[in-house]
């Protein structure tokens, strides 16, 4: 299933901005609400629709992460993707995205369909949690998990491999619906 516009706007839970309502936006909003209200994430530490931008054969490309949790120093801790299929089928893609995240790599990556969730540490790509409670941990536990699973910076060769992996998975699965980066804020 591809993400499509529903022809309406809604108020983003995290930013308060009016955004386009899509077939997946209700799920993104529900995930943000769950993380803030039930898991204790500070609202100002979550960023919606974060673009992961890079070049593919010299052409700009962008894959959008649904939510990114950031620490007090604004470093990414967790990248979270809503999936329209079994979360475990997205393991390699979400790990590549976490490794390429701006300001990252993020030490943790998760995928969820809102019923099931999978959590990975990104240094080795190992699955470290499953189920909503374990894979979408409380804020305090997230901070501890990030400390226990640091993600080292990657060299240029490894970064290029991760870009190719993310591009291939994203294009194969989504065929163009999930890589339009949100517009950059204008500078006043």
């Amino acid at each position: 299933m591809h993400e499509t516009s529903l022809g309406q706007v809604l108020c983003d839970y995290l930013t308060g901005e009016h955004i386009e309502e899509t077939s997946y936006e209700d799920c993104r909003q529900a995930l943000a609400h769950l993380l803030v209200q039930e898991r204790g994430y500070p609202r100002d530490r979550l960023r919606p629709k974060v673009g992961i931008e890079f070049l593919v054969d010299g052409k700009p490309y962008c894959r959008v992460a649904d939510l990114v949790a950031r620490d007090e120093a604004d470093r990414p801790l967790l990248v979270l993707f809503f999936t329209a299929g079994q979360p475990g089928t997205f393991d390699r893609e979400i790990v590549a995205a976490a490794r390429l995240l701006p300001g990252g790599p993020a030490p943790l990556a998760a995928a969820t369909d809102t019923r099931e969730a999978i959590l990975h540490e990104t240094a080795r790509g190992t699955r470290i949690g499953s189920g909503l409670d374990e894979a979408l941990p409380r804020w305090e536990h997230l901070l501890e998990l990030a400390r226990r699973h640091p993600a080292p910076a990657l060299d240029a060769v490894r970064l290029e491999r991760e870009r190719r992996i993310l591009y291939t998975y994203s294009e194969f699965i989504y065929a163009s619906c999930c890589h339009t980066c949100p517009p950059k804020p204008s500078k006043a």
Side-chain angles (χ1 to χ4, degrees):
M1 181 173 141
H2 296 287
E3 184 170 15
T4 57
S5 173
L6 299 179
Q8 297 184 39
V9 296
L10 55 83
C11 183
D12 185 273
Y13 175 74
L14 295 173
T15 67
E17 296 173 2
H18 291 298
I19 59 172
E20 180 180 19
E21 185 174 7
T22 67
S23 52
Y24 293 169
E25 194 58 48
D26 284 346
C27 294
R28 282 188 199 97
Q29 296 298 313
L31 286 169
H33 191 271
L34 171 106
L35 293 174
V36 171
Q37 296 296 320
E38 295 181 30
R39 301 292 197 263
Y41 287 54
R43 187 181 291 209
D44 66 338
R45 300 285 93 214
L46 289 172
R47 305 287 186 277
K49 295 184 179 180
V50 174
I52 302 167
E53 300 178 64
F54 52 92
L55 297 176
V56 176
D57 296 330
K59 297 177 186 165
Y61 184 79
C62 182
R63 175 66 165 94
V64 177
D66 292 302
L67 292 167
V68 175
R70 303 184 79 82
D71 67 13
E72 292 291 327
D74 209 31
R75 293 178 303 242
L77 297 170
L78 169 72
V79 61
L80 178 63
F81 286 91
F82 166 73
T83 63
Q86 289 292 116
T89 61
F90 297 84
D91 290 353
R92 191 58 186 95
E93 180 183 5
I94 67 169
V95 168
R99 290 173 177 164
L100 296 170
L101 200 63
L108 303 165
T112 183
D113 62 2
T114 70
R115 290 173 284 153
E116 176 60 42
I118 305 292
L119 178 66
H120 290 267
E121 58 82 20
T122 60
R124 291 182 312 276
T126 305
R127 207 180 265 198
I128 60 171
S130 62
L132 290 175
D133 287 336
E134 193 175 283
L136 301 178
R138 294 199 51 74
W139 177 251
E140 300 80 18
H141 191 146
L142 177 73
L143 295 171
E144 176 56 31
L145 282 171
R147 278 190 287 277
R148 283 194 321 219
H149 300 283
L154 303 177
D155 64 38
V157 171
R158 183 70 185 273
L159 282 171
E160 183 57 27
R161 287 180 187 155
E162 295 300 320
R163 288 182 193 113
R164 291 288 175 173
I165 289 166
L166 182 57
Y167 174 77
T168 300
Y169 275 94
S170 296
E171 285 300 295
F172 177 72
I173 294 170
Y174 299 109
S176 79
C177 72
C178 300
H179 65 263
T180 303
C181 275
K184 292 187 186 333
S186 60
K187 295 180 180 169

